[in-house]
């Protein structure tokens, strides 16, 4: 795999790439042919500061990750480094040693999990190889990370030098049979339209004693100083302390900009700009030959390169290209706050150990930082407004608050009812992550994983988050493989038809006739846990449903255009008709509360379900009936909840604090 940009590029791949001219003398990617004679360019360099090769050495430094599976909500180390760390490391690594460019492995990166794919990081114009400093720890747990360092005084021509996106594309174009994933960050293929162009004559005429001004000029177009300063500020701090930390970081950041004069001296910068011009031309002339999978990350506020326009062009020019557009970020994308590169790779299903992404074996559990950002922070107000309550049923039939009645070990199949648009999902995932430290693998409609609806300005969006938290297409083979691995699987037999129900159909199950999930569960002795959830009618009112939208010409045409070859079950009988995917028209209500009840587990181990289909049918109907009974129970019991209204909950939290648990009815 290659990740790259004019400033900060890199390249992660499963199989090492041969040199440009197909020589087999070197097993490393993008090593220039005229360097093969230098041993230091082919081997890991242990002389560089902050580098090393020994996994034992890395383990001794307290990484805490063994070469096995990662635990749920593991500490990925994201957010522990800042832009200042980049400058500190860069100042050390640029000290001349007379050697050629060479690869090194940052100690902070490892050791990774077993069978981790390779990731080659190609530096940009700085050449230090330290551009991943904010991401080294998180990437190093799941990749074998190798970074390329190019000494300040190196003057090798482009075909051997590293200019991120240009070099990554050139490598892919000249090695079409090699399995590579390219991750391009604001690539310099648009150099001809860059604001760097006017710098060439200025640099040539600039007196050497004034070269210190160049880094300051560059700093204004490289990125947003506020986002860089915020990169290491904890998101849990109250506003006054956040402002204080931000002020300190900004104060310390400004003086170190002068260090750019040492990292990129005038003569080096002039050389690199000329090199970049030829590199862009070289790569652009070979775009047609690129067969590799490409993920392009483009910034909307890149003042150095027209990255948004370039995303449009590359989207149309490359055969297998996807884009994620970050409209509020600048050129130094990977040094700015809020950008977690590992999350982007996971969310776009770019992480893979073979030629095709595998939703089961390539899945990486959510990290602590992902849980904090995407659950605790992004859904904070929704969770606060709905104040979800979880109940579960013990083996003796008693209903208790919490998830004590749900098994702690898999394989487990959670089977329940969908509320409108699946709005019950985020509280459900949070409860299992927080109380049981368990990730649920949700079986979702395959349309959520199609790439054909994406655009060249596609932002990192909700469906990417589903990938991070374990969603995968609902297919028999996926269920089979998850059960064989002892996973917790979430299944809604009513599917999208249930989540997109019409007026008067809330809390109605739309299940097919066939009990196939029961038979699949019995094959692996899976414990089936039915559950019901209510609260949809307390937070939103459906005002424009499928039937009504089909009577509006423009909307009907839009639905039909976007639903070619897509059919959903129409009713509870399981028969297929012309029901299609659509967006329900809703208006919010003064929010009530969500209530979840997990029923008594159904054990399939030891039952003769596979041989006797009638027993599978009986259990299937029992599970369905149990969910309907739980829905009736919750709708009845919520009337006894003195805190069903958000007003009463707000008054309680005003007295006891926003983090205080709000009481509910007694089960």
């Amino acid at each position: 795999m290659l990740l790259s940009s004019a400033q900060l590029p890199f390249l992660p791949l499963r199989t090492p790439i041969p040199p440009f001219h197909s020589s087999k003398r070197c097993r490393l990617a993008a090593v220039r042919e005229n360097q093969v004679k230098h041993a230091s360019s082919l081997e890991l360099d242990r002389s560089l500061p902050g580098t090393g090769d020994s996994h034992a050495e890395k383990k001794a430094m307290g990484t805490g990750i063994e070469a096995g599976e990662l635990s749920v909500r593991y500490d990925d180390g994201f957010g522990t480094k800042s832009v200042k760390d980049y400058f500190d490391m860069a100042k050390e690594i640029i000290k001349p040693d007379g050697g050629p460019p060479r690869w090194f492995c940052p100690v902070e990166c490892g050791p990774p999990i077993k069978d981790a794919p390779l990731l080659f990081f190609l530096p940009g114009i700085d050449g230090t190889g330290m551009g991943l400093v904010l991401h080294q720890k998180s990437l190093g747990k799941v990749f074998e990370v190798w970074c390329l360092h190019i000494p300040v005084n190196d003057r090798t021509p482009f075909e051997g030098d590293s200019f991120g996106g240009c070099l990554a594309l050139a490598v892919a174009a000249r090695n079409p049979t090699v399995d590579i994933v390219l991750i391009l960050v604001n690539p310099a293929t648009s150099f001809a339209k860059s604001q760097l162009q006017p710098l060439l004559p200025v640099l040539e005429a600039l007196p050497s004693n004034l070269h210190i001004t160049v880094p300051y000029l560059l700093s204004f177009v490289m990125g947003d100083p506020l986002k860089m300063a915020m990169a290491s500020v904890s998101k849990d701090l109250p506003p006054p302390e956040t402002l204080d930390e931000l002020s300190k970081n900004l104060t310390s950041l400004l003086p170190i900009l002068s260090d750019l004069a040492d990292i990129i001296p005038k003569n080096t910068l002039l050389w690199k700009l000329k090199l970049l011009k030829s590199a862009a031309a070289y790569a652009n002339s070979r775009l047609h030959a690129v067969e590799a999978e490409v993920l392009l990350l483009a910034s909307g506020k890149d003042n150095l390169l027209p990255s948004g326009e370039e995303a449009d062009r590359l989207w149309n020019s490359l055969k297998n290209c996807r884009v994620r557009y970050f409209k509020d970020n600048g050129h130094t994308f990977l040094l700015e706050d809020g950008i977690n590169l590992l999350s982007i790779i996971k969310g776009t299903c770019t992480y893979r150990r073979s030629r095709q992404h595998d939703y089961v074996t390539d899945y990486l559990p959510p990290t602590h930082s992902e849980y904090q950002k995407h659950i605790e922070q992004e859904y904070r107000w929704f969770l606060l407004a709905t104040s979800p309550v979880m109940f579960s049923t013990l083996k003796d039939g008693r209903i208790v608050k919490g998830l004590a009645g749900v098994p702690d070990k898999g394989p487990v199949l959670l089977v329940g009812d969908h509320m409108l648009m699946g709005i019950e999902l985020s509280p459900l995932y949070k409860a299992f992550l927080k109380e049981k430290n368990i990730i649920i693998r949700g079986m979702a409609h395959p349309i959520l994983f199609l790439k054909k609806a994406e655009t060249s300005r596609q932002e990192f969006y909700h469906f990417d988050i589903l990938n991070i938290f374990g969603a995968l297409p609902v297919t028999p083979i996926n269920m089979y493989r998850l059960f064989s691995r002892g996973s917790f699987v979430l299944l809604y037999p009513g599917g999208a038809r249930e989540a997109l129900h019409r007026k008067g159909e809330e809390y109605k199950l739309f299940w097919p006739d066939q009990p196939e999930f029961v038979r699949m569960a019995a094959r692996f002795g899976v414990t089936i846990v039915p559950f019901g959830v209510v609260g949809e009618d307390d937070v939103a009112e459906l005002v424009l449903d499928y039937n009504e939208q089909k009577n509006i010409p423009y909307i009907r045409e839009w639905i039909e255009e976007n639903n070619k070859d897509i059919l959903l079950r129409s009713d509870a009988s399981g028969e297929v008709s012309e029901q299609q995917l659509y967006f329900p028209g809703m208006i919010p209500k003064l929010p009530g509360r969500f209530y979840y009840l997990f029923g008594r587990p159904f054990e399939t181990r030891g039952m003769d379900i596979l041989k006797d289909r009638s027993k599978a049918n009986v259990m299937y109907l029992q599970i369905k009936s149990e969910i309907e009974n739980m829905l009736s129970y919750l709708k009845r019991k919520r009337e006894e909840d003195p805190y069903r209204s958000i007003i009463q909950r707000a008054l309680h939290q005003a007295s006891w604090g926003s983090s205080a648990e709000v009481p509910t009815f007694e089960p």
Side-chain angles (χ1 to χ4, degrees), residues 221-241:
V221 294
M222 295 292 272
D224 186 339
L226 284 175
K227 289 185 179 293
M228 291 184 182
M230 277 294 296
S232 59
V233 177
S234 173
K235 304 303 181 290
D236 299 327
L237 294 177
E241 293 184 29

Side-chain angles (χ1 to χ4, degrees), residues 295 322 324 340-351 357 359 363-364 370 374 448-449 454 460-469:
L295 174 62
R322 303 176 68 190
R324 287 298 178 269
N340 188 327
L341 185 55
L342 179 59
S343 294
I344 296 171
I345 292 172
K346 291 162 62 176
T348 54
C349 295
T350 308
Y351 186 87
H357 173 77
Y359 284 100
Y363 178 68
L364 301 172
E370 289 168 340
H374 298 300
L448 299 181
F449 304 91
E454 295 184 3
F460 193 75
Y461 65 141
H462 179 67
F463 294 152
D464 294 328
I465 308 303
L466 294 181
N467 290 327
I468 292 175
F469 286 91

